[in-house]
Amino acid sequence: MSYDKNNIFAKILRGEIPCKKIYEDEFVLAFHDINPQKKVHALVIPKGEYVNLDDFSSKASEKEISGLIRGIGTVAKKIGVSDVVKGGGYRSLVNVGENGGQEVPHLHFHIFGGEKVGKMVS
Ligand code: AMP
């Protein structure tokens, strides 16, 4: 599984193309999806070069793994969809590879919320 340094999220990470940034720390960058599927649709990506969740789960360090999971929680709070607030709640999902429908080959967690997100799989 080789990483394509020219994928769109790699370009966003390098600052070569803009994004609507939500949050950034040592481990993650989060930004609004360009084509939102729900009222709120954010993406959380690790800063490291990982093609997908398979790649990340086998190669990332413990710090990167915890950093990504904590980053997702932080972003959910920042965009107001966290379940700690009344009327909150969200869905987070990851598409992996061809059958998973992954389009961008840099691992990303989607966060959907701001409304009822409907059935899990359509
Ligand atoms: P996936 O199908 O899981 O690979 O999702 C890729 C997501 O990236 C889609 O929801 C796209 O709308 C989103 N996307 C593609 N290009 C950009 C971009 N330049 N900025 C923000 N989101 C993007």
Side-chain angles (χ1 to χ4, degrees), residues 8-9 12 17-18 31-35 41 43 95 101-104 108 110:
I8 195 113
F9 293 170
I12 288 175
I17 62 167
F31 49 91
H32 292 282
D33 196 288
I34 204 166
N35 183 23
H41 184 176
L43 299 171
N95 295 319
Q102 182 178 4
E103 287 168 10
V104 179
H108 47 284
H110 295 259

Side-chain angles (χ1 to χ4, degrees), residues 30-97:
F31 49 91
H32 292 282
D33 196 288
I34 204 166
N35 183 23
Q37 301 300 306
K38 294 291 169 197
K39 264 190 189 163
V40 175
H41 184 176
L43 299 171
V44 185
I45 71 174
K47 286 199 166 169
E49 296 181 344
Y50 298 102
V51 177
N52 60 30
L53 194 56
D54 284 343
D55 194 24
F56 186 77
S57 62
S58 63
K59 294 190 198 143
S61 69
E62 303 301 312
K63 276 189 165 182
E64 287 176 301
I65 292 169
S66 58
L68 177 56
I69 297 299
R70 287 201 192 282
I72 293 164
T74 301
V75 171
K77 283 194 191 122
K78 264 193 170 298
I79 58 180
V81 301
S82 171
D83 199 34
V84 300
V85 299
K86 196 169 157 51
Y90 61 95
R91 175 169 301 140
S92 182
L93 68 79
V94 186
N95 295 319
V96 180

Side-chain angles (χ1 to χ4, degrees), residues 3 9-10 13 21 23-30 44-50 56 64 68 106-107:
Y3 182 82
F9 293 170
L13 277 169
K21 192 195 285 190
Y23 175 76
E24 182 172 14
D25 65 20
E26 184 186 347
F27 298 107
V28 300
L29 175 67
V44 185
I45 71 174
K47 286 199 166 169
E49 296 181 344
Y50 298 102
F56 186 77
E64 287 176 301
L68 177 56
H106 181 112
L107 172 62

